[in-house]
Amino acid sequence: MSEEEKKFDIIVKSNTRDLFAFTKLVPSRKKRFEKASSEPITTDPMNELAIRLHPLRQYLVISEIINETKSTKTYKLTPDPNSNTNQLAYFRAGQYLSLKVEVNGVTITRPYSIASSPSDALKGFYEITIRKEEPGFLTQFIWNKWKVGTKIESSGPEGFFFYEPLRDLKQIVGLAGGSGITPFRSIAKEIAEDKLDAKLTILYGSSEEDDIIYHNEFKVLEKKYPDKIKVVHVLSCEKVTLEGCELGFLTSDIIEKYCDVNNSSFFICGPQIMYNFVEKELEKFNLLHKRIRREAFGEIKEILSDPEFPQEVAEKIFKIKAQIGNLTKEIPAKATESVLVALERANLNPPSKCRSGECGFCRSLLISGDVYISPVSDWRKAGDKKFNYFHPCASYPITDLEIKVPRHL
Amino acid sequence: MSESKEQKIEDLYDVVVIGAGNGGLIAAAELARRSTKILLLEQHNLPGGFASSFVRGRFEFETSLHELYDWGASSNKGGTRRLLERYELDSEFVAVPEAYRLILTDPDECMDVVMPFGIDAYLDTIEKEAPGSRESVRKFFDLAEDINRATNYIGQTKGHPDQNVLLKEHSNFLKTTAYSVEDVQNALNIPEKARSILNAYWVYLLVPMSRVNFTIFVSMVHGYILKGAYIPKFRSHDYTTALDTRIRELGGKIEYNTTVEKILVENGKVVGVETSKGDKIKTNHVVCNASPTLTYNKLIHPKSEVPEIAYKEINARRHGVSTFVVYLGLDATADELGLTDYSYFINNNMNTDELYESLNNLETPKVQATICLNRAIPDCSPPGTCIVSITSAFLPGVWDAVKPEDYFTLKNKIAEDLINTLETATGAPIKEHIEEIEVATPQTISRFTRAYNGVVYGYEPESWDSFVPRLMTMNDEKHIEGLEFCGGYGKRCHGYSSALKDGETAALLTLQDLIQKGELK
């Protein structure tokens, strides 16, 4: 700093008053304190709003189970007041819940899109629709064990797969595959309720006619709102009896046939293989980034099919030395399963939500060793990459590892 | 079920630091550097508090920082830079190109001016915009230098200055520090138009010129204009994660996802903390990055250990604003959009009483501070894109009655209004280029930081509660032995550099206590 002398003498009110004001500074502060109320503050309204919109967990109970198709069921979930959940968090149509499932004593999580509308949450229920996967030990378990009355722990509503009026065009095209139809049911209902000012055309890929979920429900909506909601079924099977459907896959030809490609916002939700296919088809239209929104598709199903995955470790089982809180434990980890799965198998109850690398909830520290992260699910921040933080749900061990994992919230 | 019992932390620590915000991180780093056994507990799963970042699509957004104060070039390092450099962080900072562009949108205002860094250049520009104002504005900066000398002197005397020296050599500091900006600017006869330009930085305090303390304001303006402003090249998450790394290298322990629920106090002394994970940790020292408001009203246990005066101190103060931010990832470059500047202050006018009042209802505020990040970091987003963030604010209480089912519509409406204002003021076609958009409200602040009622700006720095009286009284406003506060509610008021420096002070005070009590091994 400069060592210069001051250049002039300030007078604000008068010399004496200015100095007097300074000497009164602390005493008048004390006086203000003495005069103030001594009532504690007991409310924090923004915290209350945050808890209502984004509860850390919601305790739910299954109130109804609806058989949708031979392999899908819809579970109606209501608050479980016995566990202090009295209302459900409101959400944006398209968001998901991360459900905690305890399978044979091991706690894992799965993200499921909310299939009911946001206003249904205010009425006291969410609906999720689950397809039984083959193979898929978790969905088999759910299928067999979830009954009316079963209690389920859930996250708050999560995810960024929703219509954003400041960005998206009024015409939404939903490209759905299989159970990827679920978020579009929520969006369609919100449009039908006149809460969302948009039009929705869904191109819905299914493998068999009897795999189509919500078939009749969408028929009713289409009839009632012909200007706003339209569903085109695209079936990959050989024989079809349904009228007005397309055969094959969601190709650019089919997309062009039903959509004004350059005046629509595309929303994609379905299994991973469908993304690979549909994205290639959409490339032909040379659309802007902002016109294509993708739901995270969950954990990569076949990491070995990723061309960049180091195939030489495919058969290996590595050791992970995991610190979690005060506990340090050495656990086995297959190269072809995510670090998150290894942590769950070892019953360490790690945090997780999206299981797609996107939300960062499982963010952990890689102390030593190396992991493979597929570019499609690498959502890490620049600083995390630099300082070796990683997302276990989207990382595969390719050496022995030492890691530090935060405890679950 | 799971092995959560085995995961519990039940050791003994010299110091527990609560919260990994700017203040908590520095406190933890400084204590760890001095071989203290520390545990840093953070409720979120990231370090940084407000100093963070988030990813949407192809963009990584800076959450709250506009420009770091008191950093300075390598030839003229400021205190914030010297402090952070002590920890030898692997983190880069870059200079912001110009001070700010001020645009006033009321039809009779006609103000659109770009202000440069550097005192002389600044004076030249202000003279051109408001002829005849140079000398009075120069005096404003001269006063800032006097105040700087005074605060340096007080610092050198470790807060025990010689009254005679103060009176003789630092009378300009003494005679202004009890006054508002308006009082002193009146005395300096600064013309109205020059004041409008000079007071544009008020958004970083958001207290009207008629009430905000002169000392803190003049120091801030002078610091920015003299030393320039800097930002982290890879967002604030980069330097806060660098601090996290350094703390662990120095032997400190950090636990994320761990909320402190109780600070245990016995006979007026800290004896431990309890967390949401059931941890019971023994310690005689807590450095708390949470506000006194939250700490005394919620954390101290049992409640009977909270003295009445602690509640009175909180209730006598006024909580500052919470923020409202629209984050935009745009699919056009700043050049294509015609966004020529880094920092835009866009207000209806510069009547700060009126502007402040506009933060007190759910209508769209008449104030925005907008950043085009690519103007300081050209490659902060992919080629062909840029990052723009619009920040406004609300006074605490305004959002209290908002219902969850109205929340998303409300925030989108305000976001749209702010974007429209930006479009009109700059001519940039923002809306047609939105690729990613995220909107943070006071609720969002509360959700991620748990700051009391979403407050970002700590307690309002009126003269009686600005940094000078806070520093003068810091020893007699301690109510629980072993408890030190740090952060934006701290002794230097809010802001990144204030919070960082306050973390250092809290660490040093704690260290002194540890040494005096012979508790350090």
Side-chain angles (χ1 to χ4, degrees), chain A residues 32-288:
Chain A
R32 276 174 190 263
F33 289 160
E34 280 159 25
K35 276 196 289 185
S37 149
S38 58
E39 279 298 301
I41 298 171
T42 52
T43 60
D44 185 340
M46 278 311 95
N47 190 238
E48 287 155 31
L49 183 59
I51 289 167
R52 287 192 66 186
L53 283 164
H54 307 285
L56 286 185
R57 39 183 83 75
Q58 305 187 87
Y59 294 100
L60 310 173
V61 58
I62 297 174
S63 69
E64 199 182 334
I65 300 174
I66 302 138
N67 288 310
E68 297 282 356
T69 68
K70 62 180 194 293
S71 62
T72 48
K73 288 182 186 183
T74 293
Y75 297 87
K76 190 169 178 179
L77 307 170
T78 51
D80 178 10
N82 294 331
S83 304
N84 271 332
T85 295
N86 294 305
Q87 52 196 353
L88 301 178
Y90 193 65
F91 63 99
R92 296 179 88 158
Q95 287 190 301
Y96 72 86
L97 300 172
S98 168
L99 301 185
K100 252 191 186 176
V101 191
E102 203 185 314
V103 190
N104 307 326
V106 173
T107 308
I108 57 179
T109 65
R110 278 294 180 279
Y112 290 108
S113 297
I114 305 172
S116 47
S117 79
S119 67
D120 291 336
L122 298 177
K123 289 178 206 145
F125 69 91
Y126 294 133
E127 284 170 339
I128 55 163
T129 300
I130 299 178
R131 161 157 288 159
K132 186 166 66 171
E133 289 170 31
E134 310 273 359
F137 86 107
L138 180 72
T139 52
Q140 303 272 359
F141 174 89
I142 288 175
W143 213 259
N144 296 330
K145 297 283 178 175
W146 282 13
K147 312 278 182 218
V148 170
T150 300
K151 294 181 178 198
I152 293 160
E153 188 184 324
S154 165
S155 69
E158 293 285 335
F160 314 113
F161 189 69
F162 49 77
Y163 178 77
E164 174 48 73
L166 291 172
R167 176 198 56 221
D168 299 320
L169 298 174
K170 283 234 154 76
Q171 176 64 59
I172 308 172
V173 174
L175 301 175
S179 55
I181 190 69
T182 49
F184 297 111
R185 180 177 182 253
S186 182
I187 294 169
K189 278 174 175 270
E190 207 178 28
I191 291 171
E193 290 164 5
D194 226 7
K195 298 257 169 62
L196 202 155
D197 181 19
K199 295 174 177 187
L200 176 64
T201 299
I202 305 173
L203 304 183
Y204 178 16
S206 299
S207 39
E208 306 278 345
E209 262 178 43
D210 57 1
D211 276 336
I212 297 173
I213 314 172
Y214 317 133
H215 181 266
N216 295 336
E217 225 179 313
F218 273 123
K219 270 263 156 324
V220 173
L221 283 176
E222 281 185 273
K223 204 172 243 172
K224 214 166 159 192
Y225 306 97
D227 303 333
K228 286 184 171 177
I229 296 167
K230 182 173 176 58
V231 181
V232 179
H233 293 286
V234 183
L235 293 161
S236 56
C237 54
E238 289 184 358
K239 266 200 172 163
V240 172
T241 58
L242 217 58
E243 265 176 56
C245 66
E246 292 286 341
L247 284 182
F249 297 96
L250 296 174
T251 58
S252 56
D253 289 344
I254 291 180
I255 294 169
E256 241 175 339
K257 182 172 167 187
Y258 292 98
C259 312
D260 180 356
V261 172
N262 290 314
N263 292 300
S264 302
S265 281
F266 290 86
F267 281 67
I268 313 174
C269 185
Q272 194 187 334
I273 41 165
M274 176 203 142
Y275 282 75
N276 302 344
F277 183 85
V278 165
E279 301 238 3
K280 278 219 175 68
E281 295 300 304
L282 285 178
E283 265 173 32
K284 297 173 188 167
F285 302 128
N286 215 0
L287 297 170
L288 297 169

Side-chain angles (χ1 to χ4, degrees), chain B residues 248-262:
Chain B
R248 284 183 288 99
E249 283 168 357
L250 292 166
K253 189 173 159 100
I254 307 176
E255 281 295 320
Y256 293 105
N257 279 0
T258 305
T259 309
V260 170
E261 291 184 334
K262 290 175 185 170

Side-chain angles (χ1 to χ4, degrees), chain B residues 313-346:
Chain B
E313 283 175 13
I314 293 159
N315 293 333
R317 306 169 112 165
R318 220 191 277 210
H319 289 87
V321 298
S322 184
T323 51
F324 183 100
V325 191
V326 187
Y327 304 94
L328 298 162
L330 302 173
D331 66 355
T333 63
D335 280 340
E336 285 162 356
L337 293 168
L339 291 174
T340 47
D341 303 279
Y342 171 80
S343 171
Y344 293 82
F345 296 136
I346 303 169

Side-chain angles (χ1 to χ4, degrees), chain A residues 4 6 8 18 29-30 34 37 39 41 44 164 290 329 360 381-382 384 389 404 407-408, chain B residues 3 45 53 60 149 171-172 179 237 244 255 277 279 297 312 315 412 432 453 465 476-477:
Chain A
E4 290 165 52
K6 65 182 175 201
F8 70 103
D18 296 350
R29 175 182 174 87
K30 301 278 176 211
E34 280 159 25
S37 149
E39 279 298 301
I41 298 171
D44 185 340
E164 174 48 73
K290 66 183 166 204
K329 200 170 174 181
K381 303 172 186 189
D384 280 347
Y389 276 95
K404 180 163 169 56
R407 293 174 291 179
H408 205 293
Chain B
E3 305 181 7
N45 73 337
S53 76
E60 182 172 343
R149 273 197 297 278
S171 61
N172 278 352
Y179 288 117
H237 182 68
D244 155 305
E255 281 295 320
K277 301 303 296 173
D279 310 315
N297 285 293
K312 284 171 170 269
N315 293 333
N412 267 43
E432 61 191 74
N453 222 6
D465 196 21
D476 35 302
E477 288 175 14

Side-chain angles (χ1 to χ4, degrees), chain B residues 133-343:
Chain B
S133 65
R134 178 194 283 270
E135 279 320 300
S136 60
V137 177
R138 179 184 289 286
K139 281 187 171 174
F140 178 86
F141 285 120
D142 288 344
L143 275 178
E145 282 179 20
D146 293 343
I147 285 162
N148 242 323
R149 273 197 297 278
T151 47
N152 284 343
Y153 168 68
I154 295 168
Q156 281 158 18
T157 60
K158 299 209 154 58
H160 302 288
D162 183 327
Q163 297 298 320
N164 288 327
V165 175
L166 273 184
L167 265 173
K168 218 173 124 205
E169 291 176 30
H170 303 290
S171 61
N172 278 352
F173 161 73
L174 295 184
K175 289 192 289 183
T176 52
T177 199
Y179 288 117
S180 70
V181 174
E182 192 174 284
D183 284 337
V184 180
Q185 289 184 345
N186 283 344
L188 293 172
N189 270 321
I190 299 178
E192 200 180 330
K193 193 166 184 197
R195 282 192 212 194
S196 290
I197 297 170
L198 193 56
N199 294 347
Y201 277 124
W202 92 290
V203 287
Y204 295 156
L205 296 173
L206 283 179
V207 178
M209 293 294 113
S210 56
R211 289 201 290 117
V212 74
N213 171 239
F214 175 72
T215 317
I216 190 169
F217 184 76
V218 78
S219 303
M220 173 177 75
V221 177
H222 180 252
Y224 276 129
I225 300 305
L226 183 73
K227 292 208 174 96
Y230 288 73
I231 51 167
K233 188 168 179 188
F234 300 103
R235 309 313 98 80
S236 290
H237 182 68
D238 180 69
Y239 85 80
T240 56
T241 307
L243 274 165
D244 155 305
T245 303
R246 182 63 79 233
I247 290 165
R248 284 183 288 99
E249 283 168 357
L250 292 166
K253 189 173 159 100
I254 307 176
E255 281 295 320
Y256 293 105
N257 279 0
T258 305
T259 309
V260 170
E261 291 184 334
K262 290 175 185 170
I263 299 172
L264 304 172
V265 179
E266 277 174 27
N267 302 320
K269 291 179 188 171
V270 169
V271 293
V273 301
E274 272 182 37
T275 76
S276 55
K277 301 303 296 173
D279 310 315
K280 291 187 170 63
I281 300 149
K282 284 188 182 143
T283 187
N284 292 322
H285 297 273
V286 162
V287 173
C288 192
N289 201 172
S291 63
T293 304
L294 214 56
T295 306
Y296 287 118
N297 285 293
K298 210 174 157 188
L299 299 181
I300 300 292
H301 184 84
K303 295 240 173 289
S304 56
E305 290 285 351
V306 181
E308 200 174 59
I309 187 69
Y311 293 125
K312 284 171 170 269
E313 283 175 13
I314 293 159
N315 293 333
R317 306 169 112 165
R318 220 191 277 210
H319 289 87
V321 298
S322 184
T323 51
F324 183 100
V325 191
V326 187
Y327 304 94
L328 298 162
L330 302 173
D331 66 355
T333 63
D335 280 340
E336 285 162 356
L337 293 168
L339 291 174
T340 47
D341 303 279
Y342 171 80
S343 171

